[in-house]
C-alpha cells in the first residue's frame, strides 16, 4: 500500500528525473504490490470474507498507476543511446507488465462467481499455494532490483523461485486430485471455478518462473568469469 | 601499333588496380563492430574508417606488402619483373575466382587468390614461354614465408585474442557484478573500440597490397614512372576510401544491425588482436588474409568464453581456404597459356 500511495504523490516531473533502472524498480514494486493484493484477495475468498475479496480484486482491476511509469519508461528507452543492453531491458520491463495482465485477467475471472470451498484441508492446500506464490512474487521483485547491481545474487534468488515453483506444482496436482475426487456434480460451477482458480494461480506462477529463467539468462549473458 | 597496345594495356592495368582498391574498401567489414556499438554516427564512422584504410594503403605503398606482391616473390630468373600480360592474367584470374566464390556463397581470400595466380602465371611463363629455370623463377624463401604466414597469422590471432580476453577477464571484466556496472564499463570500452578499429583499418589498408602491388609491378617493368606510381597509389587510397563510403556501407549496416547487443569490450579485443597481427605481417611484408585472421580471433574469443565453436563449418571454410591457392594458380596458368598462344606474353 505504501508504494502505491507514494506513487500517487509522484508527479510526472518527478518521474522524469528517474533513470531507466529506477523506473524499472518502481514499476516492479508497483506490480508486485498489486500481485500481493491479488493473492491476499484470494485468501479472503478462502476465508469467505467476500467483501474484502471483492475490494482486492477490484483494486487490481482498477489500479493503473503503473501506466504512467510504463509510458515514461518507453519514451526514455526509445530515446536512450549507446546501450548495448537496451533490448534486454525493454524485454524485462514487458515481462513485468505481463504479470499485471495475468493478474488482472485472474481477478476479473474470480469476480464472476463466489465459491465456497469444499473443506478445511482444501483451504489449507490453497493457502499453502498462495503463500508460495507470495514468496516467489516477492523474490522476483528482489531479483529484478538486483539486476543492475548484482547479477549473481539475482541468479541465486531465481534458483529459489524455481525450487518454490516446483513445490507448487506438486501441491497443484494434490489439489486437483482432491477436487476431482469430491462427491459433487461434475459440471457444477463450484468445480469449474475452483479448477480455474488453481489453474490461474499456476499460470501466474509459471510466468514468474519463466521470468526468473530470463533473469538467469541475462546473468549468463552478461557475467564474465575468469 | 605495338606501342599503342602497350599503352592501352598499361591504362587497363592501372584502372583495374584502382578498381581492385575500390573493391578492397567495398569488402571491408571492420567498421561493423564500431557502427553496431553506436559509438559514432554512421557517416562519420564511414569517413574515419575510409580515411584510415586509404592512409594505410598510401603510406605503405612504396615497400612492404606491395613490394612482395609486385616484386619480391619473383626470383633472379625473372629479374623480379612481371610482363604486363602476366599482371593482366593475375588480375583476371583472381577476379574470376573471387566472382565464382561469391556466386557460390564461398568466402574466399583475395590475397590467397592473387598470390596463387602469380604462382600459376610464373610457372607457365617459366616452363613454356620464358625458358626460365623454375628453380630461379621464384624467390622461394619469400614464397615460403608468405604461405607460412597464412597458417601462422590466423592461429596467432586466435591465441592473442584468447590471452587478451583471459587477461581482461581476470583484471576487469569478471569483477563487474551488475548490469549498470557492466554498461558503464562498456561505455568506456566503446572509445577503446573506436581506437582499435581505426588502428585495424590502417593496417588493413597497409596489408591489402594487391592493388598497389600491381602498380609496383608496372613500375618495376618501367611501364610507369616513379611519380606516376605515387599518383596512382594515392588514387588507390582514395578509391579504397570511396569503396568503404559508397559500397561497404550496406554490408556494414547489415552486419551492425546484428551486433547491437555485442559487447564493445569483446569487439575491442577482437579488433586489437587482428590489428596486431596485420601490423606484424605488414612490417614483415607478408600479405595475409584479414578475414581469416578475424574469423580465428572470433574463435579465440569463443574458446576463451567456453562457447560452442562450429568446427564443421570451420572445416568447410578451411577447405576452401586451402583450395583457393592451387585453384587460382591453375586458373591463372591456363589463362596465361591461352594468351601466350596469341603471342600475348
Amino acid at each position: 500500500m505504501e508504494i502505491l500511495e507514494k506513487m500517487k504523490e509522484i508527479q510526472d516531473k518527478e518521474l522524469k528525473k528517474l533513470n531507466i533502472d529506477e523506473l524499472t524498480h518502481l514499476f516492479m514494486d508497483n506490480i508486485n504490490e498489486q500481485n500481493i493484493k491479488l493473492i491476499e484477495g484470494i485468501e479472503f475468498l478462502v476465508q469467505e470474507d467476500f467483501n474484502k475479496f471483492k475490494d482486492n480484486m477490484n483494486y487490481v482491476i482498477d489500479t493503473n498507476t503503473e501506466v504512467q511509469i510504463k509510458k515514461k519508461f518507453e519514451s526514455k528507452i526509445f530515446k536512450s543511446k549507446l546501450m548495448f543492453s537496451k533490448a534486454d531491458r525493454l524485454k524485462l520491463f514487458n515481462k513485468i507488465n505481463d504479470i499485471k495482465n495475468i493478474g488482472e485477467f485472474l481477478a476479473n475471472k474470480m469476480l464472476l462467481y463466489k465459491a465456497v470451498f469444499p473443506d478445511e484441508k482444501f483451504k489449507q492446500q490453497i493457502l499453502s499455494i498462495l503463500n508460495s506464490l507470495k514468496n516467489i512474487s516477492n523474490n522476483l521483485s528482489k531479483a529484478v532490483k538486483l539486476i543492475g547491481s548484482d547479477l549473481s545474487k539475482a541468479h541465486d534468488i531465481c534458483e529459489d523461485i524455481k525450487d518454490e515453483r516446483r513445490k507448487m506444482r506438486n501441491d497443484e496436482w494434490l489439489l486437483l486430485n482432491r477436487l476431482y475426487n469430491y462427491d459433487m456434480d461434475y459440471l457444477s460451477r463450484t468445480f469449474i471455478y475452483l479448477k480455474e482458480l488453481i489453474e490461474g494461480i499456476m499460470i501466474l506462477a509459471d510466468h514468474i518462473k519463466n521470468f526468473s529463467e530470463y533473469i538467469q539468462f541475462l546473468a549468463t549473458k552478461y557475467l564474465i568469469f575468469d | 601499333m605495338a606501342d599503342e597496345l602497350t599503352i592501352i594495356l598499361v591504362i587497363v592495368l592501372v584502372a583495374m588496380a584502382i578498381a581492385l582498391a575500390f573493391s578492397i574498401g567495398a569488402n571491408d567489414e571492420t567498421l561493423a563492430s564500431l557502427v553496431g556499438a553506436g559509438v559514432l554516427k554512421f557517416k562519420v564512422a564511414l569517413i574515419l574508417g575510409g580515411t584510415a584504410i586509404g592512409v594505410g594503403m598510401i603510406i605503405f605503398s612504396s615497400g612492404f606488402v606491395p613490394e612482395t606482391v609486385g616484386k619480391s616473390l619473383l626470383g633472379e630468373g625473372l629479374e623480379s619483373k612481371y610482363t604486363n600480360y602476366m599482371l593482366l592474367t593475375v588480375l583476371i584470374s583472381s577476379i574470376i575466382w573471387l566472382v565464382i566464390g561469391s556466386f557460390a556463397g564461398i568466402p574466399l581470400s583475395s590475397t590467397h587468390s592473387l598470390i596463387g595466380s602469380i604462382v600459376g602465371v610464373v610457372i607457365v611463363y617459366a616452363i613454356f614461354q620464358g625458358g626460365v629455370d623454375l628453380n630461379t623463377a621464384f624467390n622461394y624463401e619469400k614464397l615460403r614465408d608468405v604461405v607460412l604466414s597464412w597458417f601462422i597469422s590466423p592461429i596467432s590471432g586466435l591465441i592473442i585474442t584468447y590471452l587478451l580476453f583471459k587477461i581482461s577477464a581476470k583484471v576487469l571484466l569478471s569483477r563487474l557484478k551488475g548490469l549498470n556496472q557492466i554498461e558503464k564499463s562498456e561505455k568506456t570500452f566503446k572509445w577503446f573500440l573506436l581506437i582499435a578499429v581505426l588502428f585495424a583499418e590502417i593496417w588493413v589498408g597497409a596489408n591489402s597490397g594487391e592493388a598497389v602491388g600491381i602498380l609496383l609491378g608496372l613500375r618495376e617493368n618501367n611501364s610507369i614512372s616513379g611519380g606516376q606510381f605515387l599518383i596512382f597509389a594515392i588514387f588507390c587510397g582514395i578509391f579504397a576510401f570511396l569503396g568503404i563510403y559508397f559500397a561497404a556501407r550496406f554490408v556494414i549496416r547489415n552486419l551492425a544491425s546484428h551486433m547491437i547487443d555485442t559487447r564493445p569490450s569483446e569487439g575491442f579485443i577482437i579488433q586489437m588482436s587482428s590489428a596486431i597481427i596485420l601490423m606484424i605481417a605488414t612490417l614483415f611484408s607478408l600479405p595475409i588474409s584479414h578475414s581469416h585472421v578475424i574469423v580465428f580471433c572470433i574463435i579465440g574469443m569463443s574458446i576463451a568464453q567456453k562457447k560452442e565453436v562450429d568446427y564443421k563449418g570451420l572445416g568447410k571454410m578451411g577447405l576452401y581456404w586451402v583450395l583457393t591457392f592451387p585453384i587460382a594458380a591453375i586458373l591463372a596458368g591456363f589463362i596465361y597459356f591461352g594468351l601466350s598462344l596469341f603471342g600475348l606474353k
Side-chain angles (χ1 to χ4, degrees):
Chain A
M1 275 306 282
E2 257 178 45
I3 291 156
L4 290 179
E5 273 165 22
K6 209 195 298 171
M7 259 304 301
K8 282 174 196 162
E9 293 165 18
I10 295 177
Q11 296 301 309
D12 194 52
K13 275 183 189 173
E14 281 162 329
L15 277 180
K16 267 186 189 170
K17 288 178 196 163
L18 301 178
N19 61 32
I20 284 169
D21 215 29
E22 288 163 339
L23 283 169
T24 309
H25 293 179
L26 190 64
F27 192 67
M28 185 70 240
D29 278 339
N30 197 301
I31 299 295
N32 188 43
E33 192 76 35
Q34 292 184 44
N35 220 17
I36 298 299
K37 269 274 181 192
L38 175 80
I39 297 164
E40 284 171 357
I42 303 170
E43 283 172 353
F44 286 132
L45 178 73
V46 176
Q47 291 152 14
E48 292 169 26
D49 188 342
F50 296 118
N51 287 334
K52 282 187 178 172
F53 158 70
K54 202 178 163 188
D55 288 348
N56 276 34
M57 294 298 122
N58 283 329
Y59 180 87
V60 173
I61 295 162
D62 297 337
T63 307
N64 58 4
T65 43
E66 78 282 351
V67 178
Q68 202 186 353
I69 311 169
K70 190 170 180 268
K71 280 184 180 168
K72 193 57 64 192
F73 175 86
E74 282 166 351
S75 90
K76 280 211 173 184
I77 197 114
F78 181 69
K79 289 174 194 163
S80 73
K81 285 181 182 174
L82 308 172
M83 286 179 66
F84 73 104
S85 64
K86 198 169 168 175
D88 287 327
R89 284 186 184 269
L90 185 63
K91 200 169 175 182
L92 189 84
F93 199 87
N94 287 333
K95 279 185 178 288
I96 303 172
N97 195 43
D98 287 344
I99 298 175
K100 163 75 183 182
N101 295 336
I102 297 169
E104 203 177 302
F105 181 74
L106 185 59
N108 272 305
K109 215 172 189 181
M110 290 302 98
L111 281 176
L112 293 175
Y113 184 67
K114 289 187 197 80
V116 174
F117 287 75
D119 58 29
E120 270 311 307
K121 184 73 185 168
F122 193 92
K123 283 183 180 178
Q124 290 311 314
Q125 281 178 326
I126 278 276
L127 288 174
S128 164
I129 280 193
L130 289 171
N131 193 41
S132 294
L133 186 61
K134 211 184 276 182
N135 286 342
I136 63 172
S137 183
N138 285 329
N139 275 341
L140 182 74
S141 176
K142 276 185 211 161
V144 167
K145 287 186 207 161
L146 277 168
I147 289 171
S149 56
D150 196 334
L151 276 163
S152 282
K153 265 190 193 166
H155 184 279
D156 293 346
I157 290 173
C158 289
E159 209 50 48
D160 294 341
I161 292 174
K162 283 159 73 182
D163 287 344
E164 185 93 39
R165 156 68 185 58
R166 216 167 286 130
K167 192 182 134 242
M168 285 176 80
R169 180 62 76 199
N170 292 332
D171 290 347
E172 183 200 6
W173 294 126
L174 287 174
L175 260 175
L176 285 173
N177 185 43
R178 203 174 177 83
L179 188 64
Y180 273 92
N181 286 296
Y182 278 124
D183 185 19
M184 59 176 154
D185 185 358
Y186 180 72
L187 288 173
S188 76
R189 278 183 289 182
T190 303
F191 175 85
I192 295 168
Y193 184 86
L194 293 177
K195 185 175 166 283
E196 291 201 345
L197 170 67
I198 296 163
E199 284 169 357
I201 290 169
M202 291 315 289
I203 287 170
L204 196 53
D206 283 345
H207 177 71
I208 292 174
K209 177 226 155 198
N210 291 339
F211 194 162
S212 64
E213 280 173 347
Y214 179 68
I215 293 172
Q216 289 189 318
F217 159 77
L218 291 182
T220 315
K221 181 178 171 184
Y222 290 112
L223 283 180
I224 288 172
F225 302 97
D226 61 354
Chain B
M1 184 65 186
D3 280 350
E4 278 175 16
L5 195 65
T6 308
I7 291 168
I8 291 169
L9 185 59
V10 171
I11 292 170
V12 168
L13 283 169
V14 169
M16 284 177 89
I18 292 172
L20 191 61
F22 182 85
S23 73
I24 288 166
N27 281 298
D28 186 51
E29 297 142 2
T30 315
L31 289 172
S33 56
L34 193 63
V35 176
V39 183
L40 298 170
K41 284 187 176 172
F42 187 52
K43 280 189 179 176
V44 177
L46 290 177
I47 290 169
L48 283 179
T51 307
I53 199 171
V55 166
M57 203 175 269
I58 294 165
I59 289 178
F60 292 89
S61 62
S62 51
F64 302 96
V65 174
E67 192 170 280
T68 301
V69 173
K71 183 180 169 187
S72 311
L73 280 177
L74 304 181
E76 289 169 10
L78 285 170
E79 293 172 346
S80 302
K81 284 174 189 171
Y82 297 93
T83 67
N84 289 348
Y85 286 106
M86 285 166 107
L87 291 172
L88 183 69
T89 308
V90 165
L91 279 169
I92 292 172
S93 155
S94 7
I95 288 167
I96 289 175
W97 179 231
L98 289 174
V99 169
I100 291 172
S102 297
F103 276 111
I106 307 164
L108 300 174
S109 160
S110 58
T111 311
H112 292 199
S113 184
L114 193 103
I115 303 291
S117 298
I118 290 173
V119 169
V121 163
V122 171
I123 289 173
V124 170
Y125 181 84
I127 296 175
F128 298 106
Q129 311 300 329
V132 178
D133 184 357
L134 254 183
N135 290 323
T136 58
F138 288 108
N139 176 352
Y140 283 101
E141 205 178 318
K142 193 74 190 175
L143 189 61
R144 181 203 62 201
D145 290 349
V146 169
V147 175
L148 265 180
S149 73
W150 293 348
F151 293 95
I152 294 168
S153 61
I155 293 165
S156 307
L158 185 149
I159 295 167
I160 291 176
T161 307
Y162 180 89
L163 292 176
L164 272 181
F165 179 79
K166 283 290 175 191
I167 292 164
S168 55
K170 184 95 187 161
V171 175
L172 176 72
L173 300 175
S174 65
R175 295 181 184 189
L176 306 171
K177 299 291 177 200
L179 196 53
N180 295 340
Q181 215 180 2
I182 293 167
E183 268 191 338
K184 203 175 164 189
S185 149
E186 293 297 336
K187 271 183 187 171
T188 314
F189 264 111
K190 281 177 182 175
W191 299 107
F192 285 116
L193 177 65
L194 171 67
I195 295 165
V197 166
L198 294 181
F199 185 59
E201 283 288 20
I202 289 172
W203 294 108
V204 168
N207 199 273
S208 303
E210 298 97 313
V212 185
I214 297 294
L215 295 175
L216 204 133
L218 287 170
R219 188 190 73 184
E220 290 303 307
N221 68 19
N222 296 321
S223 293
I224 57 172
S225 67
Q228 285 168 328
F229 166 76
L230 192 64
I231 291 166
F232 294 141
I234 291 170
F235 267 104
C236 281
I238 293 168
F239 271 78
F241 168 88
L242 295 175
I244 282 194
Y245 193 81
F246 289 110
R249 57 166 60 210
F250 305 106
V251 184
I252 290 169
R253 188 173 273 162
N254 185 29
L255 274 176
S257 67
H258 296 293
M259 297 170 95
I260 45 168
D261 58 352
T262 305
R263 292 176 78 147
S265 56
E266 291 171 6
F268 164 73
I269 291 168
I270 289 171
Q271 292 297 342
M272 193 44 96
S273 306
S274 80
I276 290 169
I277 299 295
L278 281 166
M279 182 184 76
I280 294 169
T282 305
L283 295 177
F284 278 98
S285 305
L286 299 168
I288 57 168
S289 166
H290 179 218
S291 48
H292 291 190
V293 175
I294 278 282
V295 167
F296 271 77
C297 287
I298 294 168
I299 294 169
M301 179 63 82
S302 299
I303 295 171
Q305 293 179 328
K306 296 189 175 78
K307 284 182 185 168
E308 267 186 50
V309 177
D310 178 12
Y311 287 107
K312 205 178 164 187
L314 192 67
K316 207 172 157 188
M317 207 184 275
L319 182 70
Y320 296 132
W321 290 354
V322 172
L323 285 177
T324 292
F325 182 80
I327 289 177
I330 292 166
L331 189 63
F334 272 112
I335 294 170
Y336 189 65
F337 186 73
L339 284 176
S340 59
L341 289 179
F342 294 96
L344 308 172
K345 299 177 191 174

